[in-house]
Amino acid sequence: MWLLIEHDGPWASHLENCDLPTDIAELVRRASERGIRPQLIRRPGRRTRQRGQGLRVLVGYAAGENPWLAGGVIAGPDDLDLDAVMAGVVPESCILEDEPVFLVCTHAKRNACCARIGLPLARRLAEVLPDRVWETSHVGGDRYAANLVCLPHGIFYGSMSQAAAIAAANAYRSGEVILDRYRGRAGIPEPSQAAEHFARVHTGELSVGGVAVESSRSEGDVTEAIVRCGEVRFQVVVEPSVFQAPCGTACAETITTYRLVSLDRLAPVRYATPALT
C-alpha cells in the first residue's frame, strides 16, 4: 500500500527527518504505523504550493490481482481513512483514478544521481503524460538512478533514460512491462523479483498480471522460487552476483544482483479419478 502526499519540500535525506508541516507529519506517522508506504511528491519543475487549500493525496492498493489508485484533496489527517486502505477499500474522501501514476525519484539528499538524472527525466516524461507524473522522495535502489515507479501495481524500473522511461510508461498504460531495466514489483523480496524476471525473459510474457511468484525458499545464498506464467509453472533458482555501478564509484563500487542458476518447467499435476463402481 502507498500514500503519496504532495509537499514541495525541502526533503531531508530521510523522510522521518524532514521538517514537515504538522498535518503531513501526522499522515506520514499514521501510514507508517499501518505498514503503508508514505512518499512525498511534487510536480516536475514546480516548487510552490498554496497552503490552506487542503492536502493533495493519492492512495494506492498494490496487493493482489486488482490493484487500484485513488486521489483526493483532504482537509487534514482525520479525513483520510487509512484503515479502509489496509482493507483494500477506497476511502470515502478519495475518488478512483482511471489512469496510472508515474513516480520518478529526484531525492538529491539521498543520492545526487537521483536529482542529476531524475529531474530532467521527470520533466520530459511529464511533457508526454501531463498530470500523471510526479517527482518523489526516496524509493530505494539509489544506485539504479534514475528510478521509475508505475502505480498502482508498484512496478519498478532502474537506470532509466528518458526514452526508456517513456517506453515503459506507455507499455504500462497498455497493461504490459518492458523487460529492459525492469526491477520488479514492490513488496516482493529481491530474489523473487529476479526469479520473476528470468521467467519473463524465458517465456516472453509481458502482461503485468501474467506472471506471479507463488512460493519461494532460500538456503544460504540460493533461492528457489515457483513462478507461474499463465497456466505454466517453473522452478527458478537464483543466487547473488555483483557488477560495477552504472555511474562508477560515485554511488557504490559494486551492485548486488542475481544470476540464474536453473530454470525448469514443472509438469502439471494430474489427479487420478477413481473408477466408478
Side-chain angles (χ1 to χ4, degrees):
M1 281 74 77
W2 299 69
L3 171 61
L4 314 179
I5 310 166
E6 185 177 7
H7 177 60
D8 289 334
W11 298 344
S13 61
H14 291 75
L15 188 58
E16 59 271 22
N17 296 330
C18 288
D19 184 15
L20 298 172
T22 303
D23 48 3
I24 295 179
E26 179 64 13
L27 274 175
V28 169
R29 183 189 69 79
R30 293 185 185 185
S32 299
E33 286 181 348
R34 290 165 172 79
I36 298 173
R37 178 172 185 158
Q39 294 284 142
L40 302 179
I41 58 174
R42 60 193 176 204
R43 289 297 189 189
R46 304 179 196 173
R47 292 294 181 270
T48 58
R49 180 172 74 90
Q50 297 294 324
R51 297 293 297 171
Q53 296 181 349
L55 294 174
R56 168 69 168 159
V57 297
L58 290 162
V59 290
Y61 187 79
E65 297 181 356
N66 298 298
W68 50 260
L69 186 72
V73 177
I74 60 174
D78 292 338
D79 290 334
L80 183 61
D81 187 352
L82 293 177
D83 291 328
V85 178
M86 291 295 296
V89 177
V90 178
E92 291 185 359
S93 56
C94 296
I95 299 174
L96 277 174
E97 301 269 327
D98 56 7
E99 284 285 338
V101 158
F102 303 96
L103 308 180
V104 179
C105 181
T106 60
H107 201 165
K109 289 292 182 65
R110 287 298 291 263
N111 190 308
C113 290
C114 289
R116 180 175 60 85
I117 307 173
L119 281 169
L121 187 152
R123 290 167 183 164
R124 176 67 183 113
L125 190 58
E127 292 174 359
V128 178
L129 298 170
D131 299 324
R132 307 315 301 170
V133 179
W134 298 86
E135 296 179 20
T136 191
S137 53
H138 177 62
V139 297
D142 294 334
R143 59 194 182 276
Y144 295 110
N147 284 288
L148 174 70
V149 184
C150 308
L151 292 177
H153 285 84
I155 300 295
F156 275 66
Y157 288 92
S159 304
M160 298 298 275
S161 66
Q162 295 182 25
I166 293 171
N170 285 332
Y172 184 65
R173 295 178 73 211
S174 299
E176 294 187 341
V177 300
I178 289 178
L179 294 181
D180 183 33
R181 313 182 199 201
Y182 175 65
R183 286 181 53 195
R185 186 169 174 177
I188 300 175
E190 286 188 0
S192 296
Q193 291 179 353
E196 178 202 337
H197 187 277
F198 287 123
R200 285 186 180 276
V201 170
H202 179 75
T203 62
E205 178 60 67
L206 298 179
S207 64
V208 171
V211 178
V213 178
E214 296 186 331
S215 65
S216 67
R217 65 182 183 89
S218 297
E219 185 173 336
D221 288 338
V222 177
T223 297
E224 174 190 300
I226 304 301
V227 184
R228 175 186 56 78
C229 296
E231 300 301 320
V232 180
R233 287 174 172 79
F234 296 89
Q235 179 189 64
V236 185
V237 180
V238 299
E239 66 179 10
S241 181
V242 295
F243 70 94
Q244 191 70 31
C247 55
T249 58
C251 299
E253 292 186 357
T254 57
I255 292 176
T256 299
T257 183
Y258 293 86
R259 76 173 192 90
L260 178 64
V261 176
S262 64
L263 188 153
D264 298 293
R265 178 170 177 164
L266 298 176
V269 177
R270 292 184 172 86
Y271 297 94
T273 302
L276 299 177
T277 58

